[in-house]
Amino acid sequence: DLTGPCPDGETLDVLTGSCRGGYGADLECPEGNGLRGDHPWVRQAEADGTSVVYVLAGASGTGTQDDPAGSLVAVLGADGDPLVAVFGRGEYAPVRIANRPSVTLIGACPSASIIKSDTSSAGHFEGVAQVRLFGLSWAAVRPGDLGGIEPDSAPALRISGASQLHLEQVTVSG
């Protein structure tokens, strides 16, 4: 319940536990690399025993918070497993995920964690029962595109087959 004990016109901020007015896509980014290791979805995953992977543009590590990977592909893990990934500040390659019970992707904020594609959908989730996205921008930018979607082009974000969908602090363009 996002209204919780909050007055009319305010929602419960899941990061702080306090009530506040809507802030749209201009969420304040965390300092430094932007990795939100303290996000409630991260804490929930850790409590449930689900691995959390960390991704930071330009990095080349193993996917831990202290040693982030440079791309999600490098740390995807086995198909069929739940996926929880935290993205820091930066631009990232398109995300294609299929046949998992759940996918949780957490970014720093939409203006700083950008999943981008020049040719197709920036994000495509197929056969994922639960999709949760926070603090990310999904952008399909096509050469010569003047801001409109070409008739035969793919949308920036495509989610099909999900029975649960939670989007928070997310922008989608193209």
Side-chain angles (χ1 to χ4, degrees):
D1 177 18
L2 292 180
T3 57
C6 301
D8 285 343
E10 293 187 358
T11 57
L12 181 63
D13 183 330
V14 296
L15 294 176
T16 65
S18 62
C19 297
R20 62 182 295 158
Y23 42 44
D26 58 354
L27 173 70
E28 186 175 321
C29 284
E31 297 292 322
N33 61 20
L35 292 170
R36 288 188 179 272
D38 61 344
H39 191 281
W41 294 346
V42 171
R43 290 194 306 266
Q44 177 188 17
E46 291 169 343
D48 293 344
T50 300
S51 296
V52 177
V53 296
Y54 292 84
V55 182
L56 184 62
S60 59
T62 59
T64 66
Q65 188 168 8
D66 293 331
D67 190 26
S71 72
L72 184 60
V73 172
V75 290
L76 262 179
D79 285 348
D81 289 344
L83 172 65
V84 178
V86 179
F87 289 83
R89 294 173 181 273
E91 236 177 61
Y92 299 93
V95 172
R96 310 269 182 271
I97 300 174
N99 304 318
R100 289 183 184 260
S102 65
V103 171
T104 299
L105 304 181
I106 301 162
C109 64
S111 64
S113 298
I114 302 164
I115 313 291
K116 184 176 173 182
S117 174
D118 294 334
T119 59
S120 64
S121 295
H124 188 163
F125 302 88
E126 177 76 38
V128 177
Q130 179 189 57
V131 178
R132 298 189 303 177
L133 307 174
F134 177 92
L136 295 163
S137 179
W138 301 85
V141 180
R142 294 165 185 85
D145 187 0
L146 298 176
I149 297 177
E150 299 166 9
D152 295 327
S153 64
L157 183 60
R158 177 178 292 176
I159 301 170
S160 57
S163 58
Q164 295 180 9
L165 178 62
H166 184 134
L167 305 176
E168 191 172 332
Q169 299 298 319
V170 171
T171 62
V172 179
S173 60

Coordinates of all heavy atoms in Angstrom, one line a residue, residues 7 19-20 42 48 64 68 86 100 106 111 114 118 121 172:
P7 N -1.1 11.4 4.4 CA -2.2 12.3 4.1 C -2.5 12.3 2.6 O -1.7 11.9 1.8 CB -1.7 13.7 4.5 CG -0.4 13.5 5.2 CD 0.1 12.1 4.9
C19 N 6.4 9.9 4.5 CA 5.4 10.4 3.5 C 6.0 11.6 2.8 O 6.7 12.4 3.4 CB 4.1 10.8 4.2 SG 3.3 9.4 5.0
R20 N 5.7 11.7 1.5 CA 6.1 12.9 0.7 C 5.3 13.0 -0.5 O 4.6 12.1 -0.9 CB 7.6 12.8 0.4 CG 7.9 11.6 -0.5 CD 9.4 11.5 -0.9 NE 9.8 12.6 -1.7 CZ 11.0 13.0 -1.8 NH1 12.0 12.4 -1.2 NH2 11.3 14.1 -2.5
V42 N 16.6 -4.7 -2.4 CA 17.9 -5.4 -2.3 C 17.9 -6.1 -0.9 O 18.3 -7.3 -0.8 CB 19.1 -4.4 -2.4 CG1 20.4 -5.0 -1.9 CG2 19.2 -3.8 -3.8
D48 N 15.9 -13.1 1.7 CA 15.4 -14.3 1.0 C 16.4 -15.3 0.5 O 16.1 -16.3 0.0 CB 14.4 -13.9 -0.1 CG 13.2 -13.2 0.4 OD1 12.9 -13.3 1.6 OD2 12.5 -12.6 -0.5
T64 N 29.9 -7.9 -7.6 CA 29.6 -7.6 -6.2 C 29.5 -6.1 -6.0 O 29.9 -5.3 -6.9 CB 30.6 -8.2 -5.2 OG1 31.9 -7.5 -5.5 CG2 30.8 -9.7 -5.4
P68 N 31.8 -4.2 -9.0 CA 30.7 -4.4 -9.9 C 31.1 -4.8 -11.3 O 32.3 -4.6 -11.7 CB 30.1 -3.0 -10.0 CG 31.0 -2.0 -9.2 CD 32.0 -2.8 -8.6
V86 N 21.5 -4.3 -9.5 CA 21.5 -2.9 -9.2 C 22.5 -2.2 -10.1 O 23.6 -2.6 -10.3 CB 22.1 -2.7 -7.7 CG1 22.2 -1.2 -7.4 CG2 21.1 -3.4 -6.7
R100 N 12.1 -16.3 -16.4 CA 12.5 -16.3 -15.0 C 11.3 -16.0 -14.1 O 10.4 -15.4 -14.5 CB 13.6 -15.2 -14.8 CG 14.9 -15.4 -15.5 CD 15.9 -14.3 -15.2 NE 17.1 -14.6 -15.9 CZ 18.2 -15.1 -15.3 NH1 18.2 -15.4 -14.0 NH2 19.3 -15.2 -16.0
I106 N 17.3 -2.2 -10.4 CA 17.3 -1.0 -9.6 C 18.4 -0.1 -10.1 O 19.5 -0.5 -10.2 CB 17.5 -1.3 -8.1 CG1 16.4 -2.2 -7.6 CG2 17.6 0.0 -7.3 CD1 16.8 -3.0 -6.3
S111 N 17.6 9.9 -14.5 CA 18.5 10.8 -15.3 C 20.0 10.2 -15.3 O 20.8 10.7 -16.1 CB 18.5 12.2 -14.7 OG 19.0 12.2 -13.4
I114 N 20.8 4.7 -17.5 CA 20.1 4.7 -18.7 C 20.3 3.4 -19.5 O 21.5 3.1 -19.8 CB 20.5 5.9 -19.6 CG1 20.2 7.2 -18.8 CG2 19.8 5.9 -20.9 CD1 20.9 8.4 -19.3
D118 N 20.0 1.6 -29.9 CA 19.9 2.4 -31.1 C 19.1 1.6 -32.2 O 18.9 2.2 -33.3 CB 21.3 2.7 -31.7 CG 22.1 3.6 -30.7 OD1 21.4 4.4 -30.0 OD2 23.3 3.6 -30.7
S121 N 14.2 -2.5 -29.0 CA 13.8 -2.2 -27.6 C 15.0 -2.1 -26.7 O 15.9 -2.9 -26.7 CB 12.9 -3.3 -27.1 OG 11.7 -3.3 -27.8
V172 N 10.4 6.1 -19.9 CA 10.4 5.4 -21.1 C 10.3 6.3 -22.3 O 9.4 7.1 -22.3 CB 9.3 4.3 -21.2 CG1 9.4 3.5 -22.4 CG2 9.4 3.4 -19.9

